[in-house]
Each structure stands twice: as C-alpha cells, then as structure tokens.
C-alpha cells in the first residue's frame, strides 16, 4: 500500500513537472543557456562602414563581430575591384588565418575605385561572410 502511494505521488510530480517545463520551454534565456543556438554563425563588419570613402596610402582597420562561431575558425579578408555595373573585376586575399576580430591594412598607393571588402571564414566546414563597399580615392 505504501509503495502504491509513493508511486502515485511520483507519477503526479512527473506529470506536473513536465507540463511546467514545456510551458516555460520557449523562454530564450533558458534555451540559450542550456541548449545550442538556432541562429546560424554570421559576421557583422563594424568598420569601415558601407559606402565609406577611403584614401589610398592610408592605414585602414577592418573590424568585425562574430556570432555563434565554434571558436576554432580562422578568418580571411579579401578585396574585390568592382566595375561600373557592380560586378567583380578581380579579387585578392589581403589576410588569411586571422584569429582576432580586426585587421590593419595599408591601402596601396595608386589603388582607387569602388571595392568590396569581404570578411570570411576558413576551416569550419561552411563559408560565412559579410562585405562592405568602399570608394578608394
């Protein structure tokens, strides 16, 4: 008789607890603290801003934020020259295997026009990138 009472109390507590957990399951703070994120990894370039006007020969600091990366990825930075139609004419990597969230680059003398600066991942199995357009004069 005692065992039956203990089992019934146990079953009731399981039923009440499961409904309580499922009622609070949508709370993001709980989910983000104890479970992996549903948000895919992505970048946000914070500097330079889109459509910046830059001077050839000047020192440029390219900065970015990483969101939901596993922490073992290497970062690359490339620059692409664009034609009047906004299409890539040529592209070259200016940095590889970066571990920080910024890179300093001296803009070469004689380099001018519209360019796309792209920050991208290396070595995590997927390619994630962000880019900004700049005008170098």
């Amino acid at each position: 008789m005692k065992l039956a009472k203990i089992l019934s109390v146990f079953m009731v507590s399981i039923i009440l607890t499961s409904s309580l957990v499922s009622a609070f399951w949508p709370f993001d703070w709980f989910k983000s603290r104890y479970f992996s994120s549903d948000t895919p990894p992505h970048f946000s370039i914070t500097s330079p801003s889109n459509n910046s006007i830059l001077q050839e020969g000047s020192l440029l600091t390219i900065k970015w934020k990483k969101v939901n990366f596993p922490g073992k990825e290497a970062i690359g930075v490339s620059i692409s020259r664009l034609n009047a139609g906004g299409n890539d004419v040529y592209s070259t990597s200016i940095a590889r295997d970066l571990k920080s969230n910024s890179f300093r680059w001296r803009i070469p003398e004689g380099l001018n026009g519209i360019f796309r600066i792209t920050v991208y991942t290396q070595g995590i199995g997927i390619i994630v990138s962000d880019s900004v357009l700049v005008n170098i004069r």
Side-chain angles (χ1 to χ4, degrees):
M1 184 78 161
K2 232 178 182 180
L3 183 60
K5 188 172 184 175
I6 290 172
L7 284 175
S8 66
V9 168
F10 179 70
M11 292 302 289
V12 168
S13 66
I14 287 176
I15 292 169
L16 289 175
T17 304
S18 66
S19 63
L20 184 64
V21 168
S22 56
F24 288 99
W25 185 257
F27 287 161
D28 287 339
W29 64 267
F30 182 80
K31 188 175 180 185
S32 65
R33 179 154 171 95
Y34 299 105
F35 300 94
S36 63
S37 175
D38 291 335
T39 305
H42 63 277
F43 282 110
S44 176
I45 295 177
T46 59
S47 178
S49 59
N50 203 31
N51 297 316
S52 292
I53 297 175
L54 308 173
Q55 295 296 316
E56 59 184 81
S58 66
L59 190 59
L60 173 64
T61 301
I62 303 167
K63 297 180 184 178
W64 56 88
K65 289 182 184 177
K66 299 185 290 186
V67 178
N68 290 335
F69 281 92
K72 298 178 182 177
E73 68 285 347
I75 307 300
V77 179
S78 67
I79 187 165
S80 303
R81 175 98 159 86
L82 305 179
N83 63 17
N87 300 313
D88 290 2
V89 175
Y90 66 85
S91 181
T92 188
S93 179
I94 58 174
R96 292 182 184 199
D97 298 324
L98 300 171
K99 301 294 183 192
S100 66
N101 290 346
S102 66
F103 172 70
R104 292 174 60 109
W105 179 60
R106 179 150 321 267
I107 302 170
E109 295 286 339
L111 188 70
N112 53 52
I114 305 295
F115 292 85
R116 176 183 298 116
I117 297 173
T118 303
V119 177
Y120 58 92
T121 57
Q122 298 175 283
I124 64 169
I126 57 172
I127 297 174
V128 179
S129 65
D130 189 25
S131 60
V132 294
L133 299 180
V134 296
N135 186 346
I136 301 175
R137 296 182 180 175

